[in-house]
Amino acid sequence: MSRRTGSDRSRGAGRTRPRGTPTVLGELSTEAARHLAGLPLDYDGTVERVVDVLALAPRSAAQTGAVVRVIVRDALADPFRETHANRWRGKLTGVRPQLIGATVRRLHSAGLLVATGRYLASTDARGGNGGKLLPVHALNLSVLSEHQAARVDRATA
């Protein structure tokens, strides 16, 4: 039995990339750039705009605003705009846990928080959730520009 020398690639076999891939990637990058172009570079008023999108009830606005402030600031500090409860649980000592969960659900339903599909082990031993899976969320700021555009359209109509 003879042993082969050399690579199959040198003979043209083993081509792994289909010919249409660069066009598809170019279209995807154009699509991504179109969505990213409207994102603000200055995030000073982000918390206030997120609270505005949620249209909070007056009786819980102060505590819900505090939850939003902690979550948004934590996500903005992350290079991938990701956040999870392990990082911000200790900063929300004066807020009822039920209100925190409700606020996170409202942020998800408004499209401001997006599930990444990744999970971490919870460090919440005091609440009885230690070791349970905890979702990682990503902040979606494009909703703010869409909300602002809809607001301008309503004002001019």
Side-chain angles (χ1 to χ4, degrees):
M1 186 161 156
S2 67
R3 186 168 194 182
R4 275 187 163 173
T5 58
S7 168
D8 283 341
R9 286 184 167 254
S10 65
R11 291 187 290 277
R15 184 170 270 156
T16 58
R17 186 172 9 126
R19 297 230 183 253
T21 303
T23 305
V24 173
L25 289 177
E27 291 170 2
L28 287 175
S29 63
T30 303
E31 178 77 13
R34 186 173 58 83
H35 288 292
L36 294 175
L39 295 179
L41 297 176
D42 183 19
Y43 297 112
D44 284 341
T46 302
V47 173
E48 290 77 19
R49 293 191 329 223
V50 169
V51 169
D52 183 43
V53 168
L54 293 180
L56 303 174
R59 65 180 179 178
S60 64
Q63 284 196 340
T64 306
V67 174
V68 168
R69 188 173 303 108
V70 168
I71 292 172
V72 169
R73 286 183 180 165
D74 181 67
L76 289 175
D78 186 81
F80 298 107
R81 303 296 185 245
E82 293 181 346
T83 185
H84 52 83
N86 284 345
R87 291 203 306 226
W88 38 263
R89 185 181 302 109
K91 299 174 184 173
L92 295 170
T93 54
V95 181
R96 295 187 331 265
Q98 297 86 351
L99 187 62
I100 297 170
T103 304
V104 170
R105 284 190 298 277
R106 294 269 317 267
L107 289 168
H108 266 283
S109 66
L112 290 160
L113 279 183
V114 180
T116 63
R118 293 182 307 133
Y119 294 86
L120 301 171
S122 176
T123 59
D124 184 21
R126 185 172 158 231
N129 294 319
K132 292 182 182 177
L133 291 180
L134 175 78
V136 177
H137 314 281
L139 187 64
N140 177 18
L141 294 177
S142 65
V143 173
L144 296 178
S145 59
E146 294 167 9
H147 179 71
Q148 184 66 27
R151 211 169 169 192
V152 168
D153 289 343
R154 282 188 301 237
T156 58

